[in-house]
Amino acid sequence: MSRYLFSAALISSILFGLLFPSVALLWKDYLNPILALLMYFSVLKVEEKDLRRAKPKELVALLIFVFIITPLFSLPFKLSDPLTFTGVLFALSSPSAAATAYFSSSLGGDIALGVAISFIASLLSLLTLPLTTQILVGAVVPIDQIKVFTILSEVIIIPVILALLTKKFFKKMTRAINKKKDYQLIVLFFLGSAIVGIGHDLIVGNEYRFIELTASMILIIFVGGSLAYLFGRRYGKKVALTFFVAAGIKNAMLSFAVVLGLFGPSAVLPMVANAVAQFLVMALLETFGSKLQLP
């Protein structure tokens, strides 16, 4: 992948959604299929050897950070309105981003662990996301868990099955798709711009609230990631770097799709803020991450 092209796709999607929301909304009805396509591409890149190389002890510890410790950072938002708290909880309870392995590689982390955590966490989120949200907000905000599972099935189970079948029976096609990684950024652009476009009307008139939420999510990403990094140091610096990435950078697009499906566009302001925060952090990591000298 060309240097900084990933960051360019992220930043341009934010700007496009802000500047041309009416255009970005043209593909908003296809958000879940586009997200499923991105998951399909992600699973195609998963190699069985990487899953086997990941050490179970490290993987379990990282899953605890991803699904238990990081979601706890949503608790201060209970002081806000229920929908904001619900949105932040969904954001922080989501699995690690599909790009975890990419950033683990660019930062000098454990690539095998990055591949394993993004794949396994995505599958486990079918259970953990409904369970976590039901425990923490089910009594405050009614959540249609059947709808949650339906959306997760559309964007996780179906593309995972299709990708595994493609890898097994169409090896040449798999190699060709994986080779054209730059084209996959088009899918990322469509998703990012649609998310920002859907939230555009909520941002206008609520700019300070949006900036506050975005800044809060950036802070949580770095604090949560740093705690995971410090814990992961016991396994070595490479593993610790992957702990930072996997615990801090979550699948913002997945949580956005779920909240949008449950509550509609009126509830997505924190989800757009989370997506923008995640995009900005990923752009920073790609641009400056290799220059970081962490202990």
Side-chain angles (χ1 to χ4, degrees):
M1 186 179 295
S2 302
R3 189 167 178 80
Y4 306 137
L5 194 55
F6 186 85
S7 296
L10 293 174
I11 300 301
S12 62
S13 70
I14 296 174
L15 295 175
F16 191 91
L18 289 174
L19 298 174
F20 308 103
S22 59
V23 179
L25 289 176
L26 292 176
W27 46 87
K28 72 177 180 64
D29 293 334
Y30 305 99
L31 196 65
N32 286 3
I34 297 174
L35 182 56
L37 184 60
L38 193 63
M39 176 61 71
Y40 173 80
F41 287 147
S42 175
V43 176
L44 281 184
K45 290 181 285 207
V46 175
E47 297 291 341
E48 186 177 346
K49 62 181 180 181
D50 289 327
L51 295 177
R52 291 180 176 178
R53 281 167 50 202
K55 297 179 181 178
K57 186 176 181 180
E58 298 168 359
L59 185 58
V60 171
L62 185 49
L63 285 170
I64 291 174
F65 271 95
V66 171
F67 287 129
I68 298 178
I69 296 178
T70 303
L72 293 178
F73 284 97
S74 67
L75 293 180
F77 288 87
K78 272 195 169 184
L79 300 174
S80 183
D81 63 277
L83 275 182
T84 296
F85 171 55
T86 303
V88 173
L89 178 62
F90 268 105
L92 299 181
S93 302
S94 294
S96 302
T100 299
Y102 171 72
F103 284 107
S104 294
S105 175
S106 62
L107 295 176
D110 189 313
I111 300 174
L113 181 61
V115 171
I117 190 64
S118 60
F119 179 68
I120 294 174
S122 293
L123 294 179
L124 287 178
S125 67
L126 293 163
L127 298 175
T128 60
L129 194 57
L131 181 61
T132 303
T133 53
Q134 185 62 38
I135 290 174
L136 292 181
V137 298
V140 180
V141 178
I143 297 176
D144 186 346
Q145 297 295 356
I146 295 178
K147 193 164 189 177
V148 173
F149 186 79
T150 300
I151 295 172
L152 294 177
S153 298
E154 292 175 357
V155 301
I156 294 178
I157 294 180
I158 294 175
V160 165
I161 292 174
L162 291 176
L164 293 177
L165 290 174
T166 303
K167 286 169 65 69
K168 182 174 180 62
F169 297 107
F170 303 96
K171 299 185 186 305
K172 187 175 180 180
M173 177 181 170
T174 301
R175 288 193 296 269
I177 293 174
N178 286 338
K179 187 177 180 181
K180 303 295 184 181
K181 294 180 181 179
D182 290 354
Y183 295 144
Q184 296 172 22
L185 294 180
I186 297 175
V187 178
L188 186 64
F189 171 83
F190 275 105
L191 277 172
S193 59
I195 286 173
V196 178
I198 291 170
H200 178 269
D201 288 346
L202 290 175
I203 296 173
V204 175
N206 295 287
E207 292 87 354
Y208 290 115
R209 179 60 174 160
F210 177 71
I211 293 172
E212 179 187 17
L213 285 170
T214 303
S216 297
M217 297 309 296
I218 291 175
L219 179 63
I220 290 173
I221 291 169
F222 280 108
V223 172
S226 297
L227 286 176
Y229 174 84
L230 292 174
F231 181 88
R233 283 289 295 168
R234 68 189 61 199
Y235 305 118
K237 185 175 179 180
K238 291 184 68 173
V239 171
L241 287 167
T242 300
F243 266 60
F244 173 85
V245 174
I249 301 177
K250 297 299 195 76
N251 193 330
M253 298 175 179
L254 173 64
S255 57
F256 180 93
V258 173
V259 170
L260 178 66
L262 285 175
F263 306 111
S266 62
V268 301
L269 185 64
M271 314 314 299
V272 180
N274 175 59
V276 170
Q278 298 279 351
F279 290 178
L280 293 176
V281 170
M282 286 190 281
L284 285 172
L285 288 179
E286 184 181 49
T287 305
F288 303 107
S290 60
K291 300 179 178 65
L292 294 177
Q293 296 297 322
L294 297 175

